[in-house]
Amino acid sequence: MKFLLGLLISLFCIPLSFSNEYVILSSTSPEIKDGQVFTKEEKITLLKGETLDIMDESGNMFKIKGPYNNKIKHQKIKKKKNSKLVKAIGRLFTKSEDDISSLGATRSIQGKKPPNLWMISTELSGHHCLENFKDVKIWRGENENPLKGMIRSKKGAKGKLKWEIGKNEVLWPSNVMIRDNIPFLLRLEGASLPLKYTFHQMPKHIKKWQDKIVWMIGKKCLRQARIFLKNIRSENSK
């Protein structure tokens, strides 16, 4: 009987996820920066009207509103922690756009963006993460005129691209195999410099969004990771 009672207690008293660190997703306090990391022992001070959006090591998101002067406290949820998540998210706010190669990068990240997170963009070059290497599309922002281009791999393979009037997307040429961590050059008609890309394929075992964004940041796909985080926050706010 005692054994059965002890078993029931152990089943219902599953330990909750207590975070050791938290990252600030957005702050209206001039004293606290977006991307700033706090430990569970540090106190936070907010004046009346100031607000923090916070993420813990499990990916739980919550708000703290001022006036407030205490350690970070929130409802603990039974989720597996990812010890790399908080620091990785912090990098998105503190790192410069070093995922964008200066070679051929002529437009700001604030410009037009592809409709799909995984599409390759002719607006930006640099590190680019892909879910898989099949049916990869290359996107351009303008479609009023036809455009030709040439893809060249470091191994020497070459493939032609052609956007028709009114078309923003073309498929990656079938005769050029995309390889992980291998540089590719895209030269567009009329451009003085080529765009340089390095692709990374997401491992199939990565399923959770917390693990996906940590992997993307680790591969320097920072632009995509910022969009990914924005989408996750939007879903969480519903």
Side-chain angles (χ1 to χ4, degrees):
M1 190 66 180
K2 288 183 178 180
F3 172 77
L4 182 59
L5 182 60
L7 181 61
L8 288 172
I9 292 173
S10 65
L11 286 173
F12 286 98
C13 295
I14 300 172
L16 298 175
S17 175
F18 291 87
S19 282
N20 294 313
E21 291 184 321
Y22 302 86
V23 61
I24 306 302
L25 299 177
S26 63
S27 168
T28 62
S29 168
E31 303 300 322
I32 300 174
K33 298 179 181 179
D34 295 353
Q36 193 169 340
V37 173
F38 288 88
T39 68
K40 63 180 181 180
E41 300 300 329
E42 291 180 275
K43 278 190 175 183
I44 281 181
T45 300
L46 296 176
L47 300 178
K48 185 178 179 180
E50 294 179 342
T51 305
L52 298 179
D53 286 328
I54 303 174
M55 180 186 288
D56 69 11
E57 292 174 310
S58 298
N60 301 314
M61 287 171 265
F62 57 97
K63 289 181 181 289
I64 291 181
K65 297 180 179 181
Y68 189 89
N69 185 28
N70 207 334
K71 299 175 184 178
I72 295 177
K73 296 179 180 179
H74 73 108
Q75 182 182 0
K76 307 301 187 298
I77 301 175
K78 300 172 186 177
K79 281 186 181 180
K80 185 178 179 182
K81 292 193 297 185
N82 184 328
S83 60
K84 298 179 181 179
L85 181 62
V86 164
K87 284 188 170 60
I89 296 297
R91 284 184 61 196
L92 292 182
F93 295 91
T94 57
K95 292 281 284 187
S96 63
E97 294 298 328
D98 58 359
D99 56 326
I100 303 172
S101 169
S102 59
L103 180 62
T106 58
R107 300 201 179 190
S108 164
I109 192 170
Q110 300 300 326
K112 294 183 179 180
K113 300 179 180 67
N116 185 296
L117 174 69
W118 309 106
M119 279 187 185
I120 299 165
S121 173
T122 61
E123 305 289 305
L124 298 166
S125 59
H127 291 272
H128 190 89
C129 292
L130 294 165
E131 287 188 300
N132 58 69
F133 289 166
K134 295 180 181 179
D135 300 323
V136 174
K137 291 182 178 180
I138 306 172
W139 177 90
R140 63 168 178 163
E142 305 296 336
N143 61 13
E144 295 179 356
N145 298 297
L147 179 65
K148 293 181 180 180
M150 175 76 73
I151 287 281
R152 183 192 300 269
S153 77
K154 189 178 180 181
K155 302 289 186 180
K158 292 187 290 186
K160 294 181 180 180
L161 301 171
K162 184 177 180 180
W163 287 266
E164 302 290 350
I165 294 176
K167 297 292 183 181
N168 292 84
E169 305 163 13
V170 294
L171 282 171
W172 183 273
S174 58
N175 63 311
V176 181
M177 185 177 293
I178 302 179
R179 296 184 182 276
D180 209 53
N181 294 314
I182 300 296
F184 288 83
L185 292 179
L186 167 58
R187 185 175 288 278
L188 297 172
E189 187 178 38
S192 57
L193 291 172
L195 293 151
K196 181 180 179 181
Y197 301 94
T198 303
F199 300 111
H200 309 281
Q201 184 175 16
M202 184 175 291
K204 292 181 180 179
H205 70 270
I206 297 180
K207 304 294 184 183
K208 295 181 179 180
W209 73 260
Q210 296 91 333
D211 299 328
K212 286 183 178 182
I213 198 166
V214 168
W215 178 83
M216 292 166 71
I217 294 168
K219 294 297 182 181
K220 298 183 180 180
C221 302
L222 304 185
R223 179 188 64 86
Q224 289 174 283
R226 290 186 181 99
I227 297 170
F228 190 72
L229 176 61
K230 182 180 178 181
N231 293 342
I232 292 296
R233 291 184 66 187
S234 178
E235 290 176 10
N236 186 72
S237 65
K238 292 177 181 178

